[in-house]
Amino acid sequence: MKKILLAFAAALACSAFALEVNEEELQSAGSEDVIRFENYTGPHSVVESASTISAIGTGLGKQVASAVDSNATFGKNQKYTVIHAVDPDTKEKLDADIIIINSNASVDHIKNLRRIIASYLESAYGYSRQDAATVATFVTVYNAVYRGKLDVFQSKYKENVTKNLSAEKCGLSTKYSDWPGNSQIVIPLYDVNGGLSTVDTSVISDKSVVQSMQEEDNRGVDERKNMVDIKEREAEAAEEKAQVSSKKAQEEEKKLAEQKEKEKKAQDKADQKQKVADEKKAQAQSDPSDSQAQKEAEEAQKEADQAQAEADEEAQNTQEQQEAADEAREEAEADQAFADKKADEAQEERQEIAQDQQELIQEAIKEAANPNIVVGLKITDEGQQLSKMVRVDGNDGSTLKESPVTVIRGRTILPVEGAVIEDAPEGLDLSLVYAAICGENTKNGAVKLCLLDAFKMEIQKESNETVSPDSVLVNNGSDYYCIIDDSGKYYLGKFDKNLKLLLKSQIEVNPATPVTVTSQGIIVTNAKGNISLLKLADLSEVNTSSSKDSTGYQK
């Protein structure tokens, strides 16, 4: 374990940014709440693949992509609905997508919800898989931070967005049990045709969101670094766009100068023509009988009027060119301001990440040097007697880490050495794991025998068989015993250290029976409520046939 922690510290040191720490806080306003998602972390009765879960978001995203510039609602009467709320005619405030988790949805872990959102962003707006995953992570934290704060959403979003929100449901609860029927996940849209800048990354990574992520075990460093990378690429793209816009603005200013010159020449010509016309008019007025003078005066005035009309047309052209130049200049300024904003945010956030990485290194080194770390249990639900694993400093009793798995049953964990775990996470020390009965019989949950690692304290393997929620867990050497639930009938099961079922009792037992292992056999309470002694060799009952009734139980 010490080697793993030291390796972790070294890796952090190599990737730490060599930047001075900027004490100035990131821009934004909002809640200072710390977000910790409460997921269902036990086994499942039906395990859906990542691709199946992602397909939910992909299907919705494809529908939005077909009408990205129009208001529309997709997925009505399905498990998930998307309200694509856009108003191109209103420039102030933000458009948004609202993902609604309907009451018939069964998502129970934030990882799977993020998979749905990420695949949605991929198919709707063309995000890469990694960028979509990063944005999805920030979207969920953002919505949890502002859960129920309708006034915050009203201050940032257009009316066509907020009319679909309610104070009771807007945002995302931190409890998975609250998600179905009570979630309105808001994704702020900066530009629906903006590529990497489609989602407003400044909004979803504001100060409150970042502060919440800093409370995670790894301070959200990896995802925050990914967000910085996105912002830096946004800044680069915006800088290129700003250069194009600036060039266009310069061209429009050049056209404006040329047009003003044309207008001046036209007006000078008109003024000259009018001067001639005035002279001709004066001559005609001095001799009303001179018909030729009258005719020349009329013709001169016509020429002056024509010249003035041409000058007026050039003046209108100048006004239109002035508007075009102003628009081009404003666009160039906006593009440059956006580029500068993203670059500044990325720099500030990169500096803050560097500080967090250094602190993580020190924490990892301190833990690696501590040989007195112990593992135990902490109660999470008194009513159901559920627990989770904790790592505790044996020197001062302080809690170093808490497991995300909060559904350990029976208040029992048993150490297991040398278990074989297929597809184990790379670099994770699994020489010592703990056996425990985990889970809940919820909509798609299940209770099973599991193996949890000693460092991350996450489920690394689970039994194929379901287990009674009231089962005890005992061991005899390298054998582990618990009560199996077989379609509502209960049997004592014997498992090896790899969670392979070796034996199942021939008789039914009480689902909450104590299990006492002795040298003469295993004592259990059978389904009739009587004591049965089971043989260690095959879990058959140690009774003569004459002492049993017609049901196979001892009289």
Side-chain angles (χ1 to χ4, degrees):
M1 184 63 65
K2 186 180 292 186
K3 290 181 180 179
I4 295 296
L5 289 168
L6 288 172
F8 170 66
L12 280 173
C14 290
S15 60
F17 302 99
L19 295 171
E20 250 179 64
V21 175
N22 187 340
E23 296 293 334
E24 189 177 338
E25 293 183 329
L26 296 175
Q27 62 175 1
S28 162
S31 165
E32 299 296 328
D33 296 340
V34 174
I35 301 303
R36 292 188 182 278
F37 288 104
E38 297 180 19
N39 307 294
Y40 175 69
T41 50
H44 290 82
S45 55
V46 177
V47 179
E48 293 184 324
S49 66
S51 59
T52 299
I53 294 168
S54 296
I56 298 170
T58 299
L60 290 169
K62 287 181 178 178
Q63 295 179 74
V64 170
S66 67
V68 74
D69 293 309
S70 304
N71 265 308
T73 299
F74 305 97
K76 291 181 180 178
N77 303 319
Q78 297 179 15
K79 291 183 178 182
Y80 301 87
T81 300
V82 171
I83 299 175
H84 183 60
V86 294
D87 181 6
D89 296 329
T90 303
K91 300 303 180 184
E92 295 77 20
K93 298 187 177 181
L94 292 167
D95 293 320
D97 285 335
I98 305 170
I99 296 181
I100 298 172
I101 305 175
N102 294 317
S103 57
N104 58 338
S106 57
V107 62
D108 58 12
H109 200 292
I110 193 63
K111 289 182 180 178
N112 288 334
L113 181 55
R114 287 170 177 168
R115 281 193 179 104
I116 293 170
I117 297 172
S119 58
Y120 170 78
L121 295 172
E122 282 186 72
S123 58
Y125 303 116
Y127 278 90
S128 70
R129 180 163 297 182
Q130 179 172 314
D131 289 343
T134 299
V135 173
T137 297
F138 277 83
V139 164
T140 53
V141 178
Y142 167 73
N143 276 270
V145 167
Y146 294 105
R147 166 71 167 175
K149 298 178 181 178
L150 185 59
D151 57 331
V152 175
F153 290 110
Q154 289 173 331
S155 69
K156 291 181 179 292
Y157 295 87
K158 298 175 184 178
E159 193 274 335
N160 69 319
V161 175
T162 56
K163 71 180 182 181
N164 294 295
L165 302 177
S166 67
E168 297 77 23
K169 297 182 179 182
C170 64
L172 180 68
S173 171
T174 56
K175 298 180 179 180
Y176 75 91
S177 56
D178 293 338
W179 294 347
N182 294 291
S183 305
Q184 297 170 335
I185 302 170
V186 179
I187 304 177
L189 301 177
Y190 179 78
D191 180 0
V192 292
N193 297 296
L196 192 61
S197 296
T198 296
V199 177
D200 195 320
T201 54
S202 298
V203 171
I204 62 173
S205 64
D206 69 19
K207 173 185 172 182
S208 297
V209 171
V210 171
Q211 286 180 336
S212 177
M213 296 181 77
Q214 286 175 308
E215 295 299 322
E216 298 175 5
D217 289 336
N218 67 345
R219 307 201 183 186
V221 163
D222 290 340
E223 291 300 334
R224 288 164 59 201
K225 284 168 64 178
N226 290 340
M227 177 56 75
V228 168
D229 179 63
I230 289 175
K231 289 186 176 182
E232 287 176 339
R233 283 182 282 134
E234 283 188 279
E236 290 173 3
E239 186 67 45
E240 292 177 2
K241 185 179 178 183
Q243 291 176 3
V244 173
S245 299
S246 178
K247 184 177 180 181
K248 179 182 177 182
Q250 292 173 4
E251 292 173 350
E252 295 296 339
E253 287 292 346
K254 182 179 179 181
K255 290 179 182 178
L256 177 61
E258 293 172 350
Q259 179 56 41
K260 285 182 176 180
E261 184 62 28
K262 288 178 67 177
E263 179 190 359
K264 182 178 182 301
K265 289 181 178 179
Q267 189 59 55
D268 288 346
K269 179 181 178 181
D271 291 342
Q272 184 61 35
K273 290 287 187 181
Q274 187 60 52
K275 181 179 180 182
V276 171
D278 289 343
E279 292 174 352
K280 295 288 185 180
K281 185 177 180 181
Q283 293 176 2
Q285 288 176 345
S286 66
D287 187 1
S289 62
D290 187 344
S291 59
Q292 183 62 30
Q294 302 299 326
K295 183 178 180 180
E296 289 178 358
E298 288 178 7
E299 290 178 352
Q301 188 59 53
K302 286 181 181 180
E303 290 181 6
D305 291 344
Q306 178 63 33
Q308 187 58 54
E310 292 174 357
D312 291 344
E313 183 178 349
E314 292 300 338
Q316 180 62 33
N317 291 340
T318 299
Q319 182 178 346
E320 291 174 357
Q321 184 57 42
Q322 181 70 61
E323 293 173 357
D326 291 344
E327 183 178 345
R329 184 181 65 257
E330 290 171 2
E331 182 179 352
E333 291 172 352
D335 289 341
Q336 188 60 56
F338 182 81
D340 293 342
K341 176 184 177 182
K342 293 299 178 181
D344 290 345
E345 287 180 10
Q347 182 180 13
E348 291 175 1
E349 291 167 23
R350 194 174 283 281
Q351 291 169 339
E352 189 164 316
I353 289 169
Q355 179 185 20
D356 286 341
Q357 284 187 302
Q358 291 297 332
E359 292 177 1
L360 283 171
I361 292 170
Q362 296 305 314
E363 291 171 5
I365 292 173
K366 180 180 178 181
E367 185 169 351
N370 184 357
N372 298 315
I373 294 174
V374 293
V375 174
L377 289 174
K378 175 182 178 181
I379 193 75
T380 58
D381 187 324
E382 280 191 60
Q384 297 189 72
Q385 296 186 352
L386 302 178
S387 307
K388 64 179 174 180
M389 292 172 64
V390 292
R391 288 169 55 81
V392 175
D393 188 330
N395 294 318
D396 58 19
S398 61
T399 300
L400 300 174
K401 183 178 176 65
E402 296 187 0
S403 169
V405 181
T406 60
V407 288
I408 293 177
R409 310 189 75 88
R411 296 168 290 182
T412 301
I413 54 173
L414 299 175
V416 180
E417 294 184 352
V420 176
I421 297 178
E422 301 81 5
D423 302 321
E426 185 176 351
L428 185 62
D429 185 356
L430 296 173
S431 58
L432 173 66
V433 296
Y434 288 87
I437 297 172
C438 304
E440 292 182 284
N441 287 324
T442 55
K443 183 182 295 184
N444 63 336
V447 178
K448 294 186 179 183
L449 181 59
C450 301
L451 295 178
L452 298 93
D453 69 274
F455 182 66
K456 296 175 70 176
M457 297 177 288
E458 296 178 351
I459 294 175
Q460 302 297 342
K461 192 171 187 177
E462 59 188 56
S463 63
N464 294 323
E465 296 75 18
T466 57
V467 174
S468 165
D470 299 318
S471 175
V472 295
L473 175 63
V474 300
N475 75 302
N476 182 30
S478 60
D479 298 327
Y480 298 84
Y481 296 90
C482 61
I483 309 306
I484 300 170
D485 180 351
D486 187 355
S487 302
K489 296 182 178 181
Y490 299 92
Y491 304 88
L492 178 66
K494 174 183 176 181
F495 293 82
D496 68 10
K497 63 183 179 182
N498 299 316
L499 305 189
K500 178 182 178 181
L501 180 63
L502 302 176
L503 294 172
K504 187 174 80 168
S505 66
Q506 298 174 16
I507 65 167
E508 295 179 43
V509 299
N510 185 290
T513 179
V515 177
T516 307
V517 182
T518 75
S519 60
Q520 300 301 312
I522 302 173
I523 300 172
V524 296
T525 302
N526 63 37
K528 296 290 187 178
N530 300 318
I531 292 297
S532 289
L533 179 64
L534 306 181
K535 296 178 182 178
L536 289 169
D538 60 5
L539 298 188
S540 63
E541 194 171 16
V542 182
N543 287 309
T544 62
S545 58
S546 61
S547 65
K548 298 180 182 178
D549 62 19
S550 60
T551 64
Y553 290 98
Q554 186 177 13
K555 294 179 181 178

